[in-house]
Amino acid sequence: MEQSIHCGFRATNNEAEYAALIVGLDLTKSLNVRSIKVLSNSQLVVRQMNGTYEARDQRMSAYLNKVKHLQSTFDEFSIEQIPRAENTRADALASLGSTTTNNSKSVPIVHLMSPSIQESDILAPVDNGRSWIDPIVNYLQADILPDDRVEARKIKAKSAKFYILYGKLYKKSFTGTYLRCVTPREAYDILKDLHYEECGNHSGARSLWNRAITDGYYWPTMRTDS
């Protein structure tokens, strides 16, 4: 049985690979298939499923968890990578799904209007009550430093760029403006809110990072997090 998948939302190639796998597994489940062997030319999906690759990106982790849950519903499940040259029919179906019109009378196209994962599936950073802000605030407010001399020197040098204003920690930017320092949990919420403000075009990492700075925020890993 053949079907093609069309994503009616912005998705990376890897997200599209996972979306197609999820739809395929749902189809086989509806046919009461109990034993399945998946052949895919996506190296990332296959190796993440087999545990060779780690899903570090939060969205990839959410997709992986979704597929793992589906995997557990089969009596037998295996997945392996095959060369793209040996998967030409699947490539043809993928090309069919990427178009807006279906000229084929025999192949159904499944239109996905939203991702298979929900925003709640994407884990936020755990707020354990401590963050990168604490050592700097402790030094600026109470002259408290770690016992380790090397670490104490690092905090002293780093703290020269920071200020306490109205009870909050700020960092002076290259332009002279003051950026409010935030915890990892606050940073996650800020990026999520900014991303949804730009939701129509799903802005890229550089754009999102610059927007966070423009709005007056700072944390050390903001470029990577974006």
Side-chain angles (χ1 to χ4, degrees):
M1 297 177 63
E2 293 185 334
Q3 64 177 358
S4 185
I5 314 300
H6 175 77
C7 294
F9 53 93
R10 290 182 179 271
T12 65
N13 288 339
N14 292 329
E15 288 174 353
E17 293 280 4
Y18 266 118
L21 176 56
I22 289 169
V23 172
L25 294 179
D26 281 337
L27 172 64
T28 53
K29 277 187 62 180
S30 69
L31 298 173
N32 294 320
V33 172
R34 303 305 307 163
S35 178
I36 185 169
K37 179 178 182 179
V38 179
L39 303 177
S40 171
N41 57 32
S42 172
Q43 180 177 351
L44 180 131
V45 169
V46 173
R47 295 198 176 185
Q48 284 185 350
M49 284 292 296
N50 289 334
T52 308
Y53 284 177
E54 180 181 352
R56 297 182 179 179
D57 178 82
Q58 290 176 333
R59 294 188 67 82
M60 288 296 98
S61 295
Y63 273 109
L64 178 60
N65 290 335
K66 177 84 172 182
V67 176
K68 287 286 189 180
H69 173 72
L70 286 170
Q71 174 188 351
S72 66
T73 64
F74 293 92
D75 294 336
E76 296 181 12
F77 179 99
S78 64
I79 183 171
E80 65 181 60
Q81 183 187 0
I82 60 174
R84 187 174 298 274
E86 297 178 18
N87 213 18
T88 54
R89 185 54 187 162
D91 276 350
L93 291 171
S95 298
L96 179 63
S98 66
T99 62
T100 56
T101 58
N102 182 10
N103 295 321
S104 172
K105 302 298 182 182
S106 59
V107 179
I109 295 184
V110 178
H111 291 268
L112 300 181
M113 303 313 296
S114 61
S116 304
I117 58 171
Q118 304 299 319
E119 192 64 31
S120 58
D121 296 329
I122 304 174
L123 301 179
V126 176
D127 188 354
N128 58 11
R130 295 182 57 81
S131 76
W132 67 274
I133 291 176
D134 297 332
I136 299 174
V137 171
N138 289 340
Y139 174 65
L140 293 178
Q141 284 189 329
D143 201 27
I144 297 175
L145 287 169
D147 294 332
D148 185 275
R149 292 185 178 181
V150 175
E151 190 63 27
R153 282 199 299 269
K154 288 181 180 179
I155 292 174
K156 276 187 176 182
K158 185 186 298 184
S159 298
K161 304 173 184 177
F162 293 86
Y163 306 87
I164 302 288
L165 300 173
Y166 307 109
K168 299 288 186 180
L169 184 67
Y170 287 81
K171 182 179 186 294
K172 194 170 184 179
S173 69
F174 292 112
T175 61
T177 58
Y178 288 89
L179 305 174
R180 188 168 76 82
C181 301
V182 297
T183 65
R185 175 68 214 202
E186 291 173 323
Y188 172 82
D189 291 335
I190 288 167
L191 287 181
K192 186 170 69 171
D193 290 343
L194 291 177
H195 185 66
Y196 277 116
E197 284 183 24
E198 309 264 352
C199 63
N201 61 14
H202 284 260
S203 58
R206 177 181 289 274
S207 174
L208 194 59
W209 167 49
N210 286 333
R211 177 69 188 280
I213 293 177
T214 302
D215 279 16
Y217 298 107
Y218 171 81
W219 65 97
T221 58
M222 58 193 312
R223 182 183 298 187
T224 303
D225 294 345
S226 295

